[in-house]
Amino acid sequence: GIQVEQSPPDLILQEGANSTLRCNFSDSVNNLQWFHQNPWGQLINLFYIPSGTKQNGRLSATTVATERYSLLYISSSQTTDSGVYFCAVARRGFQGAQKLVFGQGTRLTINP
Amino acid sequence: EAGVVQSPRYKIIEKKQPVAFWCNPISGHNTLYWYLQNLGQGPELLIRYENEEAVDDSQLPKDRFSAERLKGVDSTLKIQPAELGDSAVYLCASSRNWGTQYFGPGTRLTVL
């Protein structure tokens, strides 16, 4: 099956700093999503980005499908950005949608 | 638009007892997923439904776990009997075909 690796596993920053989170995957995919899991456990969709670049406020993401990686950028970090960031990918098969395979996550801590 | 609804949010039971989780997906989403998330790890798929049909249940431990999605809307996941190792967060997600998956808040199960 598809393997997903995220780096770094942990990241501690001061408020206002910028950060880059990386996701490498082992095969071609039709679906790639970035999630933020808040301290209450809710998985919040950030981006659906199987290829290309998207931006939403202080967050942006880029997926280079041919090189099998995706990057999540967080600018001007705030304490509310703390939590675990997951990358998840799926490969569409003959039965349609395939399961999302999650990476191990990057735990981001933003200190005031 | 209402999100994915799950209940209960928390459940504490003794081992060997049965337990059931309920999920109501986003209106119009034909695909429904149940994921298991252990502490410190990313979610892993248990079962996927396309409408009322279970099209991927390869990761569901069928000796004790069962699921149903009557009428292709709500779904119930059951464990009988529960074991200590079943303590985890059970997440439900839904999507329109193979599009973006949206997650519910999860049910945190503790087996004593």
Side-chain angles (χ1 to χ4, degrees):
Chain A
I2 297 176
Q3 304 298 313
V4 182
E5 285 188 13
Q6 291 186 244
S7 60
D10 292 280
L11 188 58
I12 300 174
L13 299 171
Q14 290 299 119
E15 202 167 21
N18 301 328
S19 58
T20 301
L21 282 57
R22 187 178 179 101
C23 171
N24 292 333
F25 44 96
S26 61
D27 205 345
S28 59
V29 298
N30 304 106
N31 181 352
L32 188 148
Q33 293 182 236
W34 282 98
F35 296 90
H36 174 212
Q37 190 163 43
N38 64 23
W40 296 271
Q42 175 75 56
L43 275 167
I44 299 166
N45 277 293
L46 297 177
F47 295 102
Y48 172 85
I49 186 167
S51 64
T53 297
K54 291 186 178 179
Q55 180 158 5
N56 184 5
R58 297 183 294 106
L59 274 60
S60 63
T62 295
T63 297
V64 183
T66 53
E67 297 188 21
R68 299 180 184 169
Y69 73 89
S70 183
L71 301 174
L72 177 69
Y73 305 97
I74 305 174
S75 64
S76 304
S77 299
Q78 300 175 0
T79 55
T80 52
D81 294 330
S82 295
V84 182
Y85 288 81
F86 286 104
C87 168
V89 303
R91 181 182 175 86
R92 188 185 312 163
F94 72 96
Q95 285 185 312
Q98 290 291 302
K99 63 180 181 182
L100 277 178
V101 177
F102 282 75
Q104 290 295 94
T106 292
R107 180 173 297 278
L108 178 65
T109 302
I110 304 298
N111 291 321
Chain B
E1 180 183 77
V4 176
V5 179
Q6 290 188 248
S7 68
R9 292 294 312 278
Y10 305 91
K11 189 73 175 180
I12 301 174
I13 60 172
E14 294 188 347
K15 62 180 181 181
K16 300 185 181 180
Q17 294 299 305
V19 65
F21 315 124
W22 176 80
C23 172
N24 181 244
I26 293 173
S27 177
H29 283 193
N30 59 320
T31 306
L32 184 146
Y33 314 77
W34 283 103
Y35 288 85
L36 167 70
Q37 186 174 21
N38 287 305
L39 189 64
Q41 298 183 20
E44 298 179 3
L45 183 74
L46 289 172
I47 188 169
R48 171 170 64 91
Y49 282 92
E50 298 280 345
N51 299 304
E52 66 275 7
E53 181 182 1
V55 296
D56 183 357
D57 63 356
S58 57
Q59 303 301 311
L60 190 72
K62 299 181 183 63
D63 57 336
R64 297 183 300 107
F65 286 65
S66 64
E68 60 182 12
R69 191 184 184 196
L70 301 176
K71 302 180 181 179
V73 181
D74 295 2
S75 178
T76 302
L77 178 68
K78 298 178 182 178
I79 308 175
Q80 181 170 10
E83 297 179 353
L84 295 176
D86 296 332
S87 295
V89 176
Y90 292 82
L91 294 161
C92 179
S94 70
S95 69
R96 196 184 309 274
N97 297 319
W98 49 78
T100 304
Q101 292 187 29
Y102 295 89
F103 282 76
T107 296
R108 184 176 298 276
L109 174 67
T110 301
V111 182
L112 303 176

